[in-house]
Amino acid sequence: MDWCGVVSGRVEDKFAGAGLSPAPALKVGCPIVLECPLNIECRVRHSLSLGSHTMFVAEVLAVQVSSVLLDARGRLCLEKAGLLAFAHGGYFALGRRIGHFGFSVRKRKGRR
Ligand SMILES: Cc1cc2nc3c(=O)[nH]c(=O)nc-3n(C[C@H](O)[C@H](O)[C@H](O)COP(=O)(O)O)c2cc1C
């Protein structure tokens, strides 16, 4: 992941260099990464020039997900992907789940 993010496809074949395989996408012209358990195909809807960077707003057209990331009911369990965080130039492993969305406003059982 790091190597693919610091080398440009203009100078290197990133599929060959990283040992990855291109595979056909469902909706877009560029390939998906076969070894990646989650591929999200998008179309750019807006681009906003911010000076140092351009921010793109994209519409999701298709999602291809490996069964290894699904539970018995077919729900996506992204935590099975071995998530990490990137901050201040470092990569950090994520730990245990510490809460869920909206927990701070959910009523406790037995309280009125
Ligand atoms: C951990 C990591 C995070 C990155 N995040 C961004 C990002 O948020 N926005 C961005 O424009 N480039 C980001 N990059 C740089 C792009 O990945 C890089 O410019 C791109 O892969 C260059 O390849 P290309 O010329 O084939 O597009 C990141 C790179 C790494 C390694």
Side-chain angles (χ1 to χ4, degrees):
M1 181 276 299
D2 181 79
W3 185 81
C4 287
V6 293
V7 170
S8 176
R10 288 185 215 100
V11 291
E12 289 260 6
D13 179 344
K14 292 206 248 187
F15 280 105
L20 299 171
S21 322
L26 296 173
K27 300 275 186 183
V28 298
C30 63
I32 65 166
V33 180
L34 197 58
E35 289 79 6
C36 185
L38 183 67
N39 281 273
I40 303 174
E41 300 171 33
C42 301
R43 175 196 290 137
V44 174
R45 297 295 297 265
H46 304 283
S47 66
L48 182 60
S49 181
L50 300 173
S52 64
H53 288 71
T54 304
M55 185 173 80
F56 297 100
V57 177
E59 175 189 4
V60 174
L61 299 180
V63 176
Q64 298 195 57
V65 59
S66 164
S67 58
V68 300
L69 295 187
L70 302 177
D71 69 11
R73 294 166 63 187
R75 285 190 308 196
L76 179 62
C77 304
L78 208 47
E79 69 276 12
K80 291 183 177 182
L83 297 173
L84 59 79
F86 173 56
H88 300 296
Y91 302 118
F92 298 86
L94 293 183
R96 64 190 173 83
R97 176 177 159 147
I98 58 170
H100 62 269
F101 178 81
F103 81 94
S104 61
V105 295
R106 182 151 298 170
K107 290 193 180 100
R108 288 195 204 127
K109 275 184 186 163
R111 278 185 95 192
R112 298 208 173 150

